[in-house]
């Protein structure tokens, strides 16, 4: 049976960070040297803006405070083009590596920077490397206390660096904090969950799999998907890191030259909107006792 892929509005999101800030490089690139490295985020964001404009899509940008400080005009351009601004924290540190106090300082700093530049209240947050899980669920309390309305930080899969497979698959309100959590999309086949929300998996699997998986979530689960990518994934010419593991090289550099055409196809095949509009605006959400 053929389905109309435009019957559900999904959410498209971009995690705004530069190529040298990814968690896979944290042990080989000292954050103290970030300012001395070649910055490509602004150029790559121009490509993102072009793709979104060409496909008539508005998106949510989860921005690092570190990047926003250095490229305030880029932040203003996001709002000028009608997109949503949200927080990715300040310095791309995993929440699982921070104390409660350090995490609060990080998200408060990032939120303040983004609000000062944009003049808009920041509602959303996404943890670097989806690093909120079972062992640090207290982070949701901190996000609620610091004025965030929603988070998109939990990935209900098993992964060597992140994942909370016991968490709900779809958007819910944490009953203890009132914070709305929007998990990254997974596709369930039989009893197993498969990543279907973008990132490296979008580059690893053939595009036909991503299209099939998102359509299945829309039509079988009757739920919108939330998809993400990074500006550096549209940059096959970025500097290559040498002192990293074979696994990290494979994950980071695989099919970078295919990201843009696949992304353009994805944005054409499905209907997309901003995270806040798709998941929160006017929605009645079920509560879940997560924290």
């Amino acid at each position: 049976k053929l389905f109309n892929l435009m019957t559900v509005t999904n959410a498209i999101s971009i995690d705004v960070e530069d190529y040298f800030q990814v968690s896979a490089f944290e042990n080989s690139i000292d954050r103290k040297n970030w300012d001395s490295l070649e910055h490509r985020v602004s150029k790559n964001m121009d490509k993102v803006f072009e793709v979104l404009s060409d496909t008539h899509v508005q998106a949510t940008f989860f921005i690092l405070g570190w990047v926003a400080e250095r490229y305030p005009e880029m932040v203003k351009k996001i709002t000028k083009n009608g997109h949503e601004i949200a927080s990715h924290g300040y310095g791309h540190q995993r929440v699982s590596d921070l104390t409660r106090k350090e995490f609060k300082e990080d998200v408060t700093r990032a939120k303040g920077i983004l609000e000062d530049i944009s003049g808009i209240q920041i509602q959303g947050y996404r943890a670097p490397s989806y690093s909120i899980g079972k062992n640090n669920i207290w982070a949701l309390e901190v996000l609620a206390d610091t004025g965030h309305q929603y988070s998109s930080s939990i990935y209900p899969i098993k992964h060597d660096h992140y994942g909370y497979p016991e968490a709900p698959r779809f958007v819910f309100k944490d009953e203890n904090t009132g914070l709305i959590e929007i998990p990254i999309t997974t596709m369930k086949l039989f009893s197993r969950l498969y990543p279907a929300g973008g990132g490296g998996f979008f580059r690893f699997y053939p595009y036909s799999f991503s299209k099939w998986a998102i359509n299945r979530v829309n039509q079988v689960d009757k739920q919108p998907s939330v998809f993400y990518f990074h500006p550096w994934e549209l940059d096959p010419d970025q500097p290559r890191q040498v002192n990293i593991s074979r696994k990290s090289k494979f994950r980071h550099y695989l099919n970078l030259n295919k990201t843009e055409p696949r992304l353009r196809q994805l944005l054409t095949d499905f209907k997309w909107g901003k995270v806040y509009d798709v998941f929160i605006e006017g929605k009645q959400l079920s509560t879940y006792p997560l924290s």
Side-chain angles (χ1 to χ4, degrees):
K1 182 180 179 180
L2 296 177
F3 294 107
N4 180 358
L5 303 186
M6 295 296 186
T7 57
V8 177
T9 302
N10 300 287
I12 191 80
S13 59
I14 300 95
D15 292 355
V16 183
E17 60 201 51
D18 220 325
Y19 67 95
F20 51 79
Q21 296 174 313
V22 300
S23 295
F25 297 166
E26 61 190 0
N27 293 323
S28 57
I29 300 178
D30 193 325
R31 63 180 55 245
K32 294 178 182 177
N33 297 328
W34 282 359
D35 273 318
S36 65
L37 298 174
E38 178 189 358
H39 290 192
R40 298 176 69 88
V41 66
S42 182
K43 177 182 176 181
N44 292 336
M45 279 289 288
D46 286 341
K47 176 61 68 174
V48 172
F49 289 135
E50 178 186 314
V51 171
L52 294 175
S53 177
D54 289 348
T55 53
H56 308 289
V57 169
Q58 289 188 324
T60 295
F61 290 80
F62 292 94
I63 311 168
L64 285 183
W66 189 96
V67 171
E69 274 185 332
R70 288 154 179 80
Y71 299 96
E73 292 305 315
M74 184 176 70
V75 177
K76 294 175 183 178
K77 187 174 181 179
I78 292 171
T79 58
K80 182 180 179 180
N81 290 343
H83 303 293
E84 179 189 4
I85 288 181
S87 172
H88 199 32
Y90 179 79
H92 208 268
Q93 292 174 284
R94 300 176 200 253
V95 184
S96 50
D97 291 339
L98 300 176
T99 65
R100 187 179 183 120
K101 181 175 181 292
E102 289 170 337
F103 178 61
K104 185 174 184 179
E105 291 172 350
D106 180 271
V107 296
T108 300
R109 183 181 185 185
K111 193 171 187 287
I113 290 169
L114 293 171
E115 290 179 342
D116 287 346
I117 294 172
S118 68
I120 296 171
Q121 185 175 1
I122 300 302
Q123 305 283 354
Y125 169 83
R126 175 171 288 159
S129 299
Y130 302 102
S131 50
I132 295 179
K134 190 173 185 178
N135 295 327
N136 62 346
I137 206 64
W138 48 259
L140 299 185
E141 298 177 10
V142 174
L143 291 173
D145 290 345
T146 50
H148 297 83
Q149 187 174 353
Y150 76 87
S151 162
S152 182
S153 303
I154 290 177
Y155 212 152
I157 60 168
K158 290 183 179 179
H159 189 277
D160 54 350
H161 291 307
Y162 55 79
Y164 188 180
E166 301 87 1
R169 284 180 63 205
F170 302 114
V171 59
F172 64 93
K173 180 182 289 186
D174 176 45
E175 71 172 16
N176 293 309
T177 64
L179 190 81
I180 297 167
E181 175 61 38
I182 306 166
I184 299 301
T185 294
T186 55
M187 188 271 296
K188 190 172 186 179
L189 188 61
F190 301 111
S191 60
R192 185 175 177 183
L193 294 181
Y194 294 86
F201 300 105
F202 184 61
R203 292 182 282 113
F204 178 76
Y205 295 120
Y207 173 72
S208 57
F209 174 82
S210 294
K211 181 177 179 180
W212 175 74
I214 293 174
N215 185 49
R216 183 177 175 87
V217 171
N218 290 168
Q219 302 295 342
V220 176
D221 297 309
K222 308 296 183 185
Q223 294 284 339
S225 295
V226 56
F227 187 91
Y228 78 98
F229 66 96
H230 306 88
W232 57 260
E233 290 185 281
L234 278 67
D235 183 12
D237 298 323
Q238 64 188 264
R240 299 277 168 148
Q241 306 305 310
V242 178
N243 189 28
I244 57 175
S245 69
R246 189 173 300 175
K247 180 189 287 187
S248 293
K249 283 183 181 179
F250 176 79
R251 286 176 171 174
H252 188 86
Y253 298 115
L254 178 69
N255 290 332
L256 291 178
N257 61 322
K258 296 181 179 180
T259 306
E260 183 182 341
R262 287 184 180 181
L263 182 62
R264 287 180 177 273
Q265 189 64 53
L266 183 79
L267 296 180
T268 302
D269 284 342
F270 295 89
K271 185 178 180 182
W272 299 95
K274 295 175 278 190
V275 173
Y276 187 91
D277 292 350
V278 171
F279 287 99
I280 298 174
E281 187 72 32
K283 298 289 174 62
Q284 296 296 319
L285 303 175
S286 58
T287 57
Y288 191 88
L290 190 58
S291 59

